[in-house]
Amino acid sequence: MATEVGPTPVKAPASGGAPIHHGPKGVGEDNKILSQGKWASWLLAPTIIALAVVIVYPIVSAIVMSFQKDAGLDPATGLFTAGGPAGVQNYVNWIAQQCSAPAGGTVACPPGTLGAQFWSATATTFFFTVVTVAFETVLGFWMAMIMARTFKGRSMVRAAVLVPWAIPTAVTAKLWFFIFAFEGIANKMFNTSILWTGSEWPAKWAVVIADVWKTTPFMALLILAGLQMIPAEVYEAAKVDGATAWQRFRLITLPLVKPALMVAILFRTLDALRMFDLPYILTGGANNTTTLSILVINQIRQGFNAAAALSTITFIIIFLVAFIFVRFLGANVVEQSGATGKGKK
Amino acid sequence: MTAATSAATTLRAEQDRGRRNAQNKEKWAQGRTYISAAVILIWCLAPAYWMVVTAFREVGFTYDTSLLPSHVTLDNFNTAFDTSFGNRFGQALLNSVFIGGVVTLVSLVIGVFAAYALARLNFRFKYLVLGFILGASMFPGVALITPLFQLFTNIGWMGTYQALIIPNISFVLPLTVYTMTSFFREMPWELEESARVDGCTQGQAFRKVIMPLAAPAIFTTAILAFISSWNEFLIASQLSSDATQPVTVAIANFAGAQPNQVPYTAIMAAGTIVTIPLVILVLVFQRKIVAGLTAGAVK
């Protein structure tokens, strides 16, 4: 009971709940918040309007488009089909991989057409996401642990990791295309003769390796920033108490760096799910390296509305993954603050 | 007696060994750190180094594997700028600078107000706005491109600069607001209060006290914004024309004299030209850039 009474008088003036006792002061506070709100809406207006024009408008119009039929020549029949409302047909076509048939109605899309690639593109996108983010997390964590130590030349290492990050992805793709060329340095170094971009698994691994090279530094820097927030005394105390290196890592480093790590993983996951440049330039989407983004781009010139449906599906997938992550992340943050609370008692 | 002596000897030997072990362990740990650091250095720099070395190699020795520069030439840089195979690399460089410059400027001018409001003012829906802006930066580009493709086709904007600049703002503006908000949160705002006590208006306090202090943060944000616009490929690859394409598209479509032969050395030269200014910029402002990149992510 005492704890409940405690904060009430403190809160009251701020929320304007005690205007009789502190009459003028309470009103002043209210006005301040009001005027700040007014100020804030003026300051935020340009950004909100700009984002509404460049993001909200296209999204809404993509959703509207996705329920329209594509006008134009039907590739299967050669006849002109008019546009018009399509209901959820575009979505059904992608998910069930049904293409319109010459005799009307739909049939399963023949292999090789864009319509037949939805599930394989989804699988490829998730394969790239899971594998690259896993590698980047482990490698990035290791790099961050090294960069957090004190040694001569540390600043040089910290500068060097920015180099892959600073190289544009298009250039990275061309660079690795050259490294993975048949007569390129990768084959020479490992004394192999692999056609890296010529068959499925080498092509996939080429994309994974190039992506890991390019984006691990970003991960490492985010994790390093998290590591540097851990006070050194915590480690000292653990050392005095006789904790082994592994125990210190598992019981101190990992839980304390977790919030930063989760944010880094979330950023990278959402980024990997929309991966486009690297496979598009490195392999051209051949040999099952077509991601959902590449499939949308390939579809655009064959029909806006079907492409809009596919891009909306992509958007929903990314949104769902982000939602799951944030829920998961939120749960962990709560759990962690609970744990520290227990420790204090 | 012999037993006691031997016990003492063993004890001393053990202590010695313990001390030596500790020293060795320390040395070994330090050694491992250096080995790991070397591995990181090589992993990060070797591919970039290979690009630069190849850029200076004669075409006939494209696949030379000597690790040091060999058959050095500047021809590849001439080839990169050569327009006779339909490449417009020089034009593309100018396009990228122009597009990046406009996008950065617009995003900063609009974003600085929003960042100030988000960092400094109390208002309702603050976290909703912040969430919306953060969500916008995580947005997949393909979700925008389809309607824009149709819209720009209809109004005859395909291949124009504005068709490349406007969608770019959707990526760069959220990033700008987000980065600047976390910079602004850490600034010494008490100075603003004291300026106001000394008789400045809120506007004056912002201009005369806060702006000079915020300049480094704004500059860092500008670099990050410019780099992100410079790297953009998806939108540009679909909406640009030969005349307006930025460097990323020019490099991706780089053609050689023979259609079946990839002009690797010229592409590496072009890549080097595109990359070197960025790398220099990033290395000079390393600390600020790392702070900007990680801003907000750890809090």
Side-chain angles (χ1 to χ4, degrees), chain B residues 228-246:
Chain B
S228 121
S229 169
W230 184 267
N231 288 351
E232 207 286 320
F233 175 76
L234 169 65
I235 297 282
S237 70
Q238 302 305 312
L239 302 182
S240 69
S241 68
D242 281 353
T244 56
Q245 64 181 6

Side-chain angles (χ1 to χ4, degrees), chain A residues 4-26:
Chain A
E4 266 172 42
V5 173
T8 330
V10 187
K11 252 187 191 168
S15 61
I20 305 158
H21 297 292
H22 318 264
K25 198 184 169 196

Side-chain angles (χ1 to χ4, degrees), chain A residues 259-282:
Chain A
L261 183 68
M262 290 311 282
V263 171
I265 292 176
L266 172 68
F267 280 7
R268 274 304 311 148
T269 303
L270 299 188
D271 216 26
L273 283 172
R274 58 183 174 184
M275 190 192 285
F276 175 75
D277 315 18
L278 203 56
Y280 189 76
I281 300 171
L282 189 57

